[in-house]
Amino acid sequence: MTTETLIWLIPLPPVLAFFLIVLFTNKSKVLSHTIGVGAAIFSWLASWYVFWQATHVEHLGEHPFESAINWLPTGNTWLKIGVLIDPLGAVMLFFVSITIFMIFLYSVGYHNFGQPKGDHDHKGLPPHGATVEEHGHKHVVPSVEPMYSRFFAFLGLFAFGMYVLVVSDNLLTMFVGWEIMGLCSYLLIGFWYGKPSARNAAVKAFMTTRIGDVFMLLGISYLYSVTGTLSFREIFTEETLHMLAENTTYFGMTVSGFIALLLFIGTVGKSAQWPLHVWLPDAMEGPTPVSAMIHAATMVSAGVYAVIRMFPLLTADFHGHELTTTMTIVAFIGAFTAIFAATIALAQNDIKRVLAYSTISQLGFMIAALGIGAYVAATFHLVTHAFFKALLFLGSGSVIHGMEHGVLHTGNHDVDPQDMYNMGGLRHKMPITFWTFLIGGFALSGFPLITAGFWSKDEIFADAFGHGHMAVFVTLAFAALLTAFYTMRQITLTFLGEPRTKEAEHAQETPWTMTAPLVVLSFFAVTFGWVGIPEDFLGLRLSPSWFHEFVGGTLAEHPEAVVFSWVPFLTSLVVALGGLTLGYLVYRNLNSVSEDRLQIPFLKNKYYFDEIYDAVFVKPIYWFSENVVYKFMDQGVIDGILHIFGPTTGGIGSFIRNKFDLPVINRFIGDGSADVTYWFGGKLRAIQTGRVQQYLMFALVTFIIIGAVLYFFVLA
Amino acid sequence: MVPISWYLIFAAALFCIGLFGVLSRRNAVAILLGVELMLNAVNINLAAFWRYGNVTQMAGQVFAIIVFAVAAAEVAVGLALVISVYRRRNTVVADDIDMMKW
């Protein structure tokens, strides 16, 4: 099998798993998770094989793996769809496949496979625990998820969407994968649909990302109408880009800039950038593997991936000095989101919500990097972030799981197992989770030299500083300081010190299916950074950065590596270590929420963005729907018109029935013809005597009459 | 030679007598006889036309012979039917034989 064929096949196993589970194996938990995890393994192996092949091709950027077929006839031409693996796609496959596989494996443990059925568990609600008798006394243990199979099916479809997006060679199938993920995020965030909060979060995520998607679709249509193609390889040719950059359109922007902006708005929705960031924290209502899926492997990565993919379009009218309008907007939104979300994360007490805001903030880093043209740095941070953020989410799920165990043990269900102030001292109870979480947290903070997060963040700083984008540089540096601070706060509150509740004392390490993915991901959270060490780091003459060489080859023009400078390096050292130390010092001895000085209502309530949106958009739209659309348009105008039609047609109908159908058709034609036939029959029966001689007589008379008539009228 | 019209008039008269017999006689055997008369009228016509037409051709005579043969066969079948009817219904009066009635 050629590599191209294999690339076509990569997305298939998860979607097959989806259909198999939904249609056939949903009754069996073992079969369902075997198929789900098995599919993830297949795709993972295939992806890594393709990645391996890709690293062995000289100048992969110019000769990528590609294969296309004719799909939709468009007049004289065809809309082609196909697969394309260039360096960027290969790197995406590398981290997406392993992360998805780990998340699948983790879900087995997370949903308590092998545990008894719950005492009063309902579909659509998280499992409450089951009572078992052991050694003569009863105690409560975690119970298995009631909709276990459904979860693996949805997860499979989610993975399919991401794979489709990564291997696509054109915007249309990319958008299809993008929308499949939108659907799956809706299904999975609302997985526990019995909870009103989960339902609302699902709808919110769907609606918010949809806003972005509409603009993205506009961008795609515009691009197609201008260039007549959606294939990346055809759009990113020099002539096309030149043509797009030369012409101007609305608001004095160039066509390329305008299209890039429209596509970017799709990313703002998908990757939860300000001002469409509101859905991502609420998405924490879904099960933790889903959070990890959304935050690391699939959805938000897809948003950033789309901008990275469209980078040639974004920078088509960029000449290397002044940022273009679109790039300024992108850089501003990214940098602003980074600092904005980081400040909110400071005041959150829910272990997953801190991570959610952290994701928004880190995505801001990537977007800002793209805005200032730092293509490789953004990609690098995307990959490292996927590893450590998946690690952190799965770690937090493991913590919550351990805490739930404590809650079931004490039976006190008032204790929120996700509130960090209920934790503390978990490092002894859950050592594997602690160490892996520490690695992930340090990677997120950018702990120097060892962790992957340091290298990728440092590259963004170096790029921003090296190209003189000081505003972005300072903003991101401050955001990075906050990141280190709240990460250390999280680690300190969760794992260090003494247990603050009985439940934390009784927390327990989670099964191997959950810890094994943590270990694997923490390996990558550390080592993946080493593939991107800059060439002249600290003035040393190291070998060229593999990542830079490889991913940089995607672009027609190989991006120059930034010259090493001490300022960004020292800055990232200071912000990372400073933030971590500060976080530890402040939260080391904190025992209750009241002592936390950062619990400012303004931050805790996320700058009241939900409330503002509610007042500015949601309420007016409700009012508009209720009064204008429902009461005026629907009930007044439309129903009014319909009410004219109803009685009128009814009247015409009964008129026709009474005046025409009944008297004319029924009585005259209908009954009349039958009567006539009956009368004739009655008369004619008299001549049928059965006597041959009479018949002959009739025949003779008839013959004579016909003969006479013929003789007189025809012959004469 | 006698003009052909005499033969034709004679044959027509014979045919009418036969037809009258078929339509008016009550006895089935007599009706059969009427049919024979009509056939004979036809035979006279055939023979007369042959004699006044092309004498070297035998068509008229052959036709007449076929008609004889058919008439003989017909009478045999007809009498068999009459006997059969008589055995079942004990009558040969045509008016009583109204089995063809609806």
Side-chain angles (χ1 to χ4, degrees):
Chain A
M1 187 160 53
T2 62
T3 312
E4 280 82 4
T5 321
L6 191 64
I7 297 168
W8 280 101
L9 295 179
I10 286 175
L12 280 186
V15 79
L16 282 181
F18 166 72
F19 284 114
L20 279 178
I21 295 172
V22 166
L23 294 177
F24 303 114
T25 68
N26 52 53
K27 294 275 186 292
S28 160
K29 292 184 168 48
V30 183
L31 264 181
S32 300
H33 81 218
T34 312
I35 291 173
V37 177
I41 292 178
F42 271 121
S43 293
W44 166 58
L45 289 175
S47 301
W48 275 26
Y49 176 75
V50 170
F51 174 74
W52 179 251
Q53 292 285 322
T55 54
H56 283 74
V57 177
E58 288 278 322
H59 302 295
L60 182 66
E62 287 145 49
H63 316 287
F65 295 122
E66 59 181 336
S67 142
I69 53 163
N70 289 338
W71 191 35
L72 296 176
T74 50
N76 295 328
T77 55
W78 286 88
L79 182 65
K80 289 186 169 208
I81 59 164
V83 294
L84 170 77
I85 292 298
D86 55 3
L88 174 62
V91 170
M92 289 297 288
L93 274 186
F94 177 83
F95 83 83
V96 164
S97 62
I98 183 72
T99 327
I100 286 177
F101 171 37
M102 287 302 128
I103 290 168
F104 266 86
L105 183 62
Y106 177 90
S107 307
V108 176
Y110 180 82
H111 286 306
N112 301 318
F113 179 72
Q115 298 285 359
K117 254 189 165 161
D119 302 331
H120 45 83
D121 281 353
H122 284 288
K123 287 187 172 181
L125 284 173
H128 295 95
T131 320
V132 288
E133 262 198 61
E134 230 173 51
H135 313 302
H137 65 97
K138 287 183 181 173
H139 64 139
V140 187
V141 296
S143 56
V144 70
E145 163 64 45
M147 297 189 299
Y148 189 79
S149 302
R150 174 198 284 237
F151 185 80
F152 279 93
F154 287 172
L155 218 51
L157 191 62
F158 211 145
F160 169 70
M162 187 63 186
Y163 280 123
V164 166
L165 178 120
V166 173
V167 301
S168 289
D169 78 335
N170 65 87
L171 265 166
L172 189 66
T173 45
M174 191 182 117
F175 190 71
V176 170
W178 178 279
E179 289 298 319
I180 290 174
M181 281 193 279
L183 167 71
C184 288
S185 68
Y186 168 78
L187 292 173
L188 283 169
I189 291 167
F191 184 68
W192 287 319
Y193 53 79
K195 290 197 293 184
S197 56
R199 280 204 298 269
N200 295 339
V203 173
K204 191 172 179 181
F206 194 73
M207 293 307 292
T208 316
T209 52
R210 199 76 24 237
I211 297 170
D213 292 352
V214 170
F215 284 98
M216 187 173 184
L217 198 56
L218 282 178
I220 293 175
S221 318
Y222 192 13
L223 184 62
Y224 186 75
S225 71
V226 179
T227 63
T229 176
L230 289 176
S231 161
F232 297 137
R233 296 276 286 170
E234 288 172 34
I235 299 168
F236 299 153
T237 53
E238 208 160 312
E239 306 87 72
T240 315
L241 288 176
H242 193 68
M243 184 267 286
L244 291 174
E246 287 294 290
N247 296 312
T248 52
T249 173
Y250 315 103
F251 314 117
M253 296 171 81
T254 57
V255 176
S256 62
F258 189 68
I259 294 171
L261 188 63
L262 286 174
L263 296 176
F264 174 68
I265 297 174
T267 296
V268 170
K270 210 68 162 180
S271 290
Q273 296 297 291
W274 180 86
L276 295 179
H277 62 280
V278 288
W279 67 272
L280 196 61
D282 287 23
M284 297 299 102
E285 291 292 339
T288 306
V290 174
S291 310
M293 195 84 169
I294 292 176
H295 286 256
T298 57
M299 195 140 157
V300 296
S301 304
V304 177
Y305 170 76
V307 185
I308 298 178
R309 195 37 105 192
M310 287 300 137
F311 188 77
L313 202 61
L314 180 69
T315 52
D317 51 349
F318 176 57
H319 302 298
H321 305 290
E322 284 288 301
L323 292 183
T324 64
T325 319
T326 313
M327 289 175 82
T328 313
I329 294 171
V330 173
F332 169 76
I333 295 221
F336 181 74
T337 308
I339 185 91
F340 161 83
T343 53
I344 298 178
L346 294 175
Q348 300 299 315
N349 295 335
D350 184 315
I351 186 168
K352 277 170 79 181
R353 261 171 209 269
V354 175
L355 293 175
Y357 280 105
S358 158
T359 305
I360 300 178
S361 167
Q362 295 301 310
L363 294 169
F365 271 78
M366 301 168 209
I367 297 293
L370 286 165
I372 57 171
Y375 176 81
V376 178
T379 317
F380 193 24
H381 198 52
L382 174 67
V383 182
T384 59
H385 173 260
F387 283 126
F388 58 70
K389 193 45 68 67
L391 168 62
L392 285 172
F393 264 110
L394 298 185
S396 75
S398 182
V399 168
I400 295 165
H401 215 261
M403 284 296 291
E404 274 169 351
H405 199 276
V407 170
L408 291 176
H409 187 89
T410 59
N412 180 9
H413 287 276
D414 294 333
V415 175
D416 180 2
Q418 307 202 14
D419 192 331
M420 294 193 292
Y421 279 100
N422 293 332
M423 299 174 190
L426 290 178
R427 68 182 179 284
H428 301 303
K429 306 285 173 193
M430 314 177 72
I432 304 178
T433 308
F434 168 60
W435 284 109
T436 51
F437 198 94
L438 192 71
I439 293 170
F442 274 18
L444 173 61
S445 314
F447 189 79
L449 300 181
I450 307 171
T451 60
F454 169 74
W455 296 108
S456 57
K457 235 180 244 183
D458 186 56
E459 195 159 340
I460 297 180
F461 288 147
D463 238 305
F465 186 79
H467 291 112
H469 305 294
M470 293 312 291
V472 174
F473 175 68
V474 173
T475 316
L476 291 187
F478 190 57
L481 177 74
L482 294 180
T483 307
F485 180 77
Y486 66 68
T487 309
M488 199 58 210
R489 168 183 184 257
Q490 188 175 30
I491 293 170
T492 312
L493 286 178
T494 309
F495 292 103
L496 305 182
E498 293 304 315
R500 282 184 290 276
T501 54
K502 268 200 141 100
E503 285 70 23
E505 279 173 34
H506 289 287
Q508 214 178 47
E509 186 58 288
T510 41
W512 74 270
T513 45
M514 293 172 76
T515 50
L518 295 179
V519 175
V520 172
L521 288 172
S522 58
F523 170 76
F524 285 106
V526 173
T527 56
F528 197 83
W530 301 343
V531 301
I533 300 177
E535 186 177 351
D536 53 354
F537 182 65
L538 297 177
L540 305 168
R541 288 264 154 248
L542 303 168
S543 60
S545 157
W546 175 86
F547 195 86
H548 190 95
E549 292 297 314
F550 185 66
V551 173
T554 312
L555 300 175
E557 207 173 319
H558 201 284
E560 294 258 327
V562 191
V563 183
F564 178 76
S565 160
W566 284 93
V567 180
F569 172 66
L570 288 177
T571 312
S572 61
L573 276 190
V574 168
V575 295
L577 293 177
L580 287 172
T581 319
L582 213 60
Y584 178 67
L585 290 177
V586 173
Y587 287 94
R588 163 176 66 154
N589 292 319
L590 224 59
N591 279 321
S592 66
V593 196
S594 49
E595 293 171 40
D596 191 345
R597 295 230 192 99
L598 279 170
Q599 298 285 315
I600 312 161
F602 200 54
L603 289 183
K604 216 163 157 42
N605 290 308
K606 314 138 202 170
Y607 297 106
Y608 297 100
F609 256 93
D610 281 339
E611 285 75 9
I612 295 169
Y613 282 178
D614 201 48
V616 178
F617 297 114
V618 181
K619 288 265 165 59
I621 287 172
Y622 267 108
W623 181 90
F624 185 80
S625 320
E626 170 93 28
N627 291 308
V628 179
V629 178
Y630 170 59
K631 286 198 175 139
F632 173 70
M633 274 306 288
D634 196 37
Q635 289 210 317
V637 178
I638 302 208
D639 282 1
I641 293 170
L642 292 182
H643 287 159
I644 295 170
F645 278 116
T648 312
T649 43
I652 294 172
S654 62
F655 175 81
I656 291 174
R657 178 185 143 81
N658 290 327
K659 301 291 171 198
F660 182 70
D661 196 35
L662 284 179
V664 180
I665 307 274
N666 285 6
R667 202 155 301 152
F668 190 72
I669 297 174
D671 291 356
S673 60
D675 283 345
V676 169
T677 318
Y678 182 78
W679 182 84
F680 268 106
K683 297 294 168 198
L684 282 177
R685 68 187 283 177
I687 56 173
Q688 286 197 308
T689 56
R691 294 183 179 122
V692 181
Q693 282 176 310
Q694 277 184 13
Y695 291 174
L696 282 172
M697 197 64 199
F698 285 135
L700 183 66
V701 172
T702 315
F703 178 76
I704 290 167
I705 291 169
I706 290 174
V709 168
L710 282 179
Y711 183 78
F712 283 111
F713 289 96
V714 183
L715 294 179
Chain B
M1 210 149 70
V2 185
I4 190 166
S5 56
W6 289 25
Y7 290 98
L8 295 185
I9 290 166
F10 170 65
L14 195 59
F15 186 87
C16 289
I17 292 166
L19 184 62
F20 179 76
V22 167
L23 292 179
S24 61
R25 299 308 297 236
R26 295 167 51 98
N27 192 316
V29 178
I31 294 170
L32 263 177
L33 292 177
V35 173
E36 293 304 313
L37 284 183
M38 285 152 74
L39 287 171
N40 276 337
V42 171
N43 275 346
I44 289 167
N45 276 2
L46 287 170
F49 281 124
W50 165 70
R51 183 67 185 80
Y52 282 85
N54 189 350
V55 189
T56 55
Q57 298 280 313
M58 305 281 281
Q61 283 171 310
V62 172
F63 258 121
I65 289 168
I66 290 172
V67 172
F68 276 129
V70 171
E74 180 229 305
V75 169
V77 175
L79 278 176
L81 284 172
V82 169
I83 290 165
S84 176
V85 167
Y86 182 78
R87 280 189 186 148
R88 282 173 178 271
R89 306 185 60 123
N90 214 16
T91 178
V92 289
V93 178
D95 283 355
D96 296 342
I97 307 169
D98 56 358
M99 284 169 289
M100 287 171 77
K101 195 176 180 184
W102 55 83

